[in-house]
Amino acid sequence: MEITNSYETVIVRTDILILGGGMAACGAAFEAAHWAKKHNKSVTVVDKAAMDRSGAVAMGLSAINQYVGLKDGDNTLSEYVQYVKNDLMGIARDDLVANIARHVDSSVHLFEKWGLPIWKDENGKYVHEGRWQIMINGESYKTIVAEAAKKALAELGDDGQYFERIFITQPLMKDGRCIGATGFSIREKKFYVFLANSVITALGGAVHVFKPKSVGEGLGRSWYPPFNSGASTYFTLKAGAEMTCQEIRFVPVRFKDAYGPVGAWFLLFKSKATNALGEDYMETRKDELQKWLPYGAAKPTPANLRNHLMMLEVNEGKGPIYMRTDEAIQKIVDESEDPKTAKRTLKKLEAEAWEDFLDMTVSQALLWASTNVKPEETPSEISACEPYFIGSHSGGNGAWVSGPEDLSPEGYHWGYPNMTTVKGLFAAGDASGASSHKFSSGSFTEGRIAAKGAVSFAVDTNEKPDIDEAVIQQLKEDTFRPLELYNEHKDYANDPNINPNFIKPQMFMFRLQKIMDEYAGGASQAFKTSKPMLERGMHFLDFMKEDSSKLAAEDTHELMRCWENIHRMWQAESHIRTILFREETRWPGYYFRTDFPEMKEEWKVFANCKWNPEDEEWEMIKREVIDLA
Ligand code: SFD
Ligand code: AMP
């Protein structure tokens, strides 16, 4: 244990512990600081990266995708809930969606107050990208939000602190309650033990569980950030919390190879996507939607069904699929009232098209530039990405959390808002499930909701949890085992990456991705899978679980990579188990069960799962979908 013992153990005690530094965590920090001050409590935030540029919003965004406009009377809560429910083919928690939606506008107003430029029209009203989406100049979005969170913590003096570049590994549990977390510094030789009264997990979604389409020289490019590596799912599962919608992966359609988002093109520029022959498949294939009623008739067509129609084209060899940016821009120019201003309109549209990517997916602008794409002249290829796990966009996976007292029906509410089924453990953003379409603004808002609950929990319980020295030592040894293993066996072979005594994290990740891609319906399989395929995948995953104790790391950075892949592996297992459990195809375009190719009324339920820390067994659970809207 020479290496392990060379790491100093640092114990941090706090009342409210916020894990992650992304949108949900920043919202949680902002709100927790407010209530903590009133109740004399302390708040601590821990991020694996630097909050100014961490998480999904690191590169910025060009739209806020959840703004309901309640006060303006533009929309109603129930319309939003209906929209989300349809988009998820009937599977969403109305109470959670409504709770976020009724508070989200005030968060957006705060962002504006803190300096985020939101587009306005000549009447001073927000410029909408779509009904629920508003346009921003969002390159510095995350920096602005992180600054506000840090400022709120600073108001608490010594009772408000944040730790950056600390990787969270495990939950700390005592008598079935979550009392903190362990982690290690990426920069210093320190092992951290955070002890808290209540814990909020907001550790983001999961990327690179499936083999990405970008391999070789493109490895690492993905739509969602590669540093979101399944920590939320791992943390809540390991704590024994019930999880929901682990089967709902999100397969976004994106500009091919650089993953530029399509929303602004479809909604703001009203562009069409066509097959190579110029046919608008949303028109020519609309009869297919009749097979997926009532959701097939919903407006807008659910994201997975839009994908499905596109994939039918590709399967018939009618690709490439193109976003007709040229036609969309020309149409707007043609429709501009005064021909004299047409040139100016064209310039403005060109600038907006480039900025859409420069604000959130810089690499797409680089790809356009390097391949001589002029969006006003050249259509651009789009395609389906690899699957992602993200509870905040058009996916749904995450922890099963308690809803608000005033909205939630029986079974959806068991105490503090956004508390998981584990006492003292809360979840928000990508970490909480069945409340899709929260995006950046809704994740921040849900963080605020969870924080209010977590402060109440800390006030009500008012304990200072402790943990045995021996438990800490064991957790420390588990954390640093990959470093010890490498050190012990490194001289056995010449190549540090090839050694029969251990496996390096990159190799481990490649193996995991291969299993998921080939057996669990990844991109190479056109997202198709079946019971025999899933069972075969599970068989190989069992070997991976065994081999995970042989992960080895040369340094602390690689140690982080080891742990990221342990987290991904748990995300993978819960996904395979839940797809297997749900014997139907509900989200064609995200995945297809070839053995159960149709949607079934009896499966209009939540497919939940749970890993029991006592006997280490998995349990699959059906929960009712209760329609409130
Ligand atoms: O166009 C650990 N998103 C969009 N939202 C919008 O509102 N508008 C858009 O335009 C959006 N689009 C978009 C979006 C994301 C991306 C990547 C692109 C485009 C290119 C989605 C939102 O960004 C997303 O919904 C929220 O950010 C989710 O918030 P949250 O808090 O659940 O996740 P996070 O922000 O990624 O933060 C995660 C944090 O956890 C940290 N972390 N810390 C310690 N230990 C560990 N083990 C950790 N693992 C992770 C991270 O560092 C981070 O701080 S569009 O496509 O629709
Ligand atoms: P995206 O860029 O695909 O992440 O989409 C951004 C926002 O626009 C999200 O709220 C999507 O649900 C929505 N969106 C994207 N494409 C469409 C479409 N074709 N029809 C309706 N809504 C869309």
Side-chain angles (χ1 to χ4, degrees):
M1 290 300 127
E2 201 184 315
I3 298 181
T4 305
N5 292 336
S6 69
Y7 279 72
E8 180 194 349
T9 300
V10 181
I11 298 187
V12 179
R13 288 174 202 279
T14 186
D15 290 306
I16 295 103
L17 176 64
I18 299 169
L19 301 176
M23 287 307 287
C26 286
F30 173 75
E31 190 75 21
H34 173 81
W35 297 104
K37 193 159 196 177
K38 281 194 186 335
H39 295 282
N40 225 1
K41 297 283 169 204
S42 55
V43 182
T44 300
V45 176
V46 189
D47 191 353
K48 93 193 229 191
M51 285 165 74
D52 282 355
R53 289 275 171 194
S54 68
V57 188
M59 268 196 274
L61 294 177
S62 61
I64 285 177
N65 284 345
Q66 192 188 9
Y67 182 75
V68 183
L70 276 183
K71 263 211 181 128
D72 311 332
D74 294 346
N75 297 299
T76 65
L77 265 191
S78 81
E79 284 168 334
Y80 193 75
V81 172
Q82 212 47 63
Y83 160 64
V84 175
K85 197 79 166 277
N86 282 334
D87 201 56
L88 269 295
M89 305 294 278
I91 308 297
R93 282 266 302 270
D94 291 3
D95 59 332
L96 299 177
V97 175
N99 198 23
I100 298 167
R102 67 178 162 175
H103 295 300
V104 74
D105 294 352
S106 75
S107 295
V108 173
H109 300 152
L110 280 173
F111 299 157
E112 191 176 21
K113 192 175 121 198
W114 296 334
L116 179 70
I118 305 183
W119 293 17
K120 297 264 181 65
D121 66 14
E122 53 284 3
N123 302 316
K125 292 196 102 189
Y126 291 154
V127 173
H128 276 255
E129 178 183 87
R131 182 171 177 188
W132 313 105
Q133 301 87 353
I134 56 172
M135 298 301 295
I136 58 173
N137 293 103
E139 187 280 336
S140 302
Y141 188 5
K142 185 66 203 305
T143 318
I144 291 167
V145 171
E147 186 185 31
K150 287 179 182 174
K151 239 174 124 184
L153 290 172
E155 300 266 312
L156 291 176
D158 289 347
D159 280 341
Q161 49 181 340
Y162 61 89
F163 291 82
E164 296 182 325
R165 300 193 173 87
I166 310 289
F167 186 88
I168 293 296
T169 50
Q170 299 273 3
L172 272 178
M173 303 297 296
K174 197 174 187 183
D175 306 326
R177 185 179 145 196
C178 184
I179 54 158
T182 57
F184 59 88
S185 166
I186 318 291
R187 295 275 168 98
E188 297 171 304
K189 293 191 82 175
K190 288 183 179 170
F191 174 65
Y192 279 89
V193 178
F194 296 96
L195 285 167
N197 233 320
S198 55
V199 180
I200 301 172
T201 169
L203 296 161
V207 178
H208 285 156
V209 175
F210 276 84
K211 188 191 228 163
K213 283 189 163 178
S214 294
V215 291
E217 94 288 4
L219 186 69
R221 255 313 308 137
S222 51
W223 163 67
Y224 218 51
F227 23 88
N228 272 15
S229 49
S232 293
T233 294
Y234 175 82
F235 197 91
T236 41
L237 263 176
K238 243 346 219 342
E242 185 170 327
M243 306 295 289
T244 191
C245 303
Q246 291 299 310
E247 76 281 36
I248 317 184
R249 82 265 294 263
F250 177 37
V251 177
V253 162
R254 290 291 177 260
F255 281 83
K256 192 166 174 296
D257 297 331
Y259 299 82
V262 295
W265 282 99
F266 278 132
L267 302 180
L268 184 72
F269 299 119
K270 313 235 172 332
S271 178
K272 284 193 183 345
T274 71
N275 65 17
L277 309 171
E279 294 161 349
D280 177 357
Y281 53 82
M282 293 304 294
E283 274 302 315
T284 55
R285 296 217 179 248
K286 64 175 181 241
D287 288 351
E288 172 67 20
L289 297 175
Q290 296 302 312
K291 292 189 198 152
W292 306 95
L293 295 176
Y295 315 109
K299 293 277 173 259
T301 303
N304 66 292
L305 289 180
R306 300 198 295 267
N307 289 6
H308 176 48
L309 300 195
M310 187 184 102
M311 286 171 195
L312 290 173
E313 296 291 320
V314 175
N315 291 348
E316 279 186 15
K318 291 186 176 169
I321 305 295
Y322 288 105
M323 181 72 84
R324 297 285 165 177
T325 57
D326 48 339
E327 290 172 10
I329 289 186
Q330 200 49 54
K331 191 157 179 273
I332 303 175
V333 172
D334 291 346
E335 282 167 2
S336 66
E337 286 145 29
D338 182 356
K340 277 186 256 153
T341 58
K343 209 166 168 194
R344 211 178 321 136
T345 308
L346 179 63
K347 279 272 156 246
K348 182 171 163 281
L349 291 168
E350 270 176 46
E352 284 173 0
W354 283 92
E355 187 179 338
D356 182 44
F357 293 139
L358 289 170
D359 271 355
M360 73 175 153
T361 312
V362 181
S363 41
Q364 185 68 56
L366 294 177
L367 187 65
W368 268 3
S370 60
T371 50
N372 298 338
V373 169
K374 293 182 178 174
E376 68 281 14
E377 288 175 12
T378 337
S380 275
E381 220 180 314
I382 56 172
S383 79
C385 304
E386 55 280 351
Y388 300 105
F389 297 96
I390 156 165
S392 65
H393 202 291
S394 312
N397 66 299
W400 180 248
V401 297
S402 177
E405 197 171 1
D406 60 333
L407 295 182
S408 305
E410 214 183 305
Y412 285 5
H413 168 77
W414 52 91
Y416 303 87
N418 275 73
M419 192 169 86
T420 67
T421 54
V422 168
K423 239 176 121 186
L425 178 59
F426 295 73
D430 283 333
S432 86
S435 51
S436 321
H437 286 264
K438 32 195 175 187
F439 301 99
S440 60
S441 47
S443 296
F444 181 92
T445 306
E446 199 186 22
R448 294 177 67 186
I449 294 167
K452 204 169 167 191
V455 174
S456 300
F457 181 93
V459 170
D460 294 348
T461 46
N462 202 23
E463 284 167 17
K464 294 260 175 267
D466 228 324
I467 196 140
D468 289 349
E469 271 292 325
V471 176
I472 293 179
Q473 185 56 27
Q474 187 58 56
L475 287 166
K476 190 174 176 182
E477 285 173 20
D478 291 348
T479 302
F480 296 114
R481 183 176 302 123
L483 288 174
E484 298 284 0
L485 204 64
Y486 180 79
N487 192 44
E488 195 181 329
H489 298 290
K490 65 180 190 306
D491 298 328
Y492 186 86
N494 292 335
D495 186 335
N497 292 312
I498 299 165
N499 192 313
N501 297 296
F502 57 66
I503 179 165
K504 286 296 209 67
Q506 194 179 47
M507 290 293 183
F508 189 88
M509 184 180 77
F510 288 156
R511 254 165 77 181
L512 178 69
Q513 291 177 345
K514 184 172 163 65
I515 293 169
M516 294 306 285
D517 182 54
E518 293 176 7
Y519 297 101
S524 80
Q525 303 302 307
F527 310 105
K528 294 190 185 96
T529 186
S530 63
K531 184 166 190 268
M533 291 293 270
L534 291 162
E535 283 175 348
R536 189 84 183 131
M538 203 52 232
H539 170 74
F540 288 123
L541 209 52
D542 278 339
F543 288 117
M544 292 221 68
K545 284 175 4 193
E546 207 177 305
D547 288 351
S548 63
S549 65
K550 298 282 182 203
L551 273 162
E554 276 181 55
D555 53 30
T556 323
H557 184 76
E558 215 171 37
L559 182 68
M560 174 174 72
R561 295 283 177 255
C562 291
W563 276 98
E564 285 176 345
N565 284 304
I566 291 173
H567 292 175
R568 286 191 179 104
M569 183 179 71
W570 280 68
Q571 175 67 72
E573 181 167 2
S574 65
H575 184 53
I576 291 194
R577 285 181 185 278
T578 318
I579 301 196
L580 202 47
F581 183 54
R582 181 182 282 284
E583 294 189 326
E584 64 159 356
T585 295
R586 181 160 289 260
W587 299 275
Y590 289 173
Y591 74 86
F592 306 84
R593 278 285 304 252
T594 50
D595 44 353
F596 296 104
E598 276 154 20
M599 186 168 70
K600 297 178 189 163
E601 188 52 30
E602 78 226 45
W603 273 103
K604 198 193 163 203
V605 291
F606 293 106
N608 288 6
C609 69
K610 199 176 155 194
W611 178 83
N612 189 338
E614 269 86 55
D615 57 12
E616 307 202 348
E617 291 291 328
W618 289 78
E619 187 188 344
M620 303 307 299
I621 309 154
K622 277 187 190 174
R623 298 264 180 228
E624 199 185 347
V625 170
I626 303 171
D627 297 316
L628 301 172

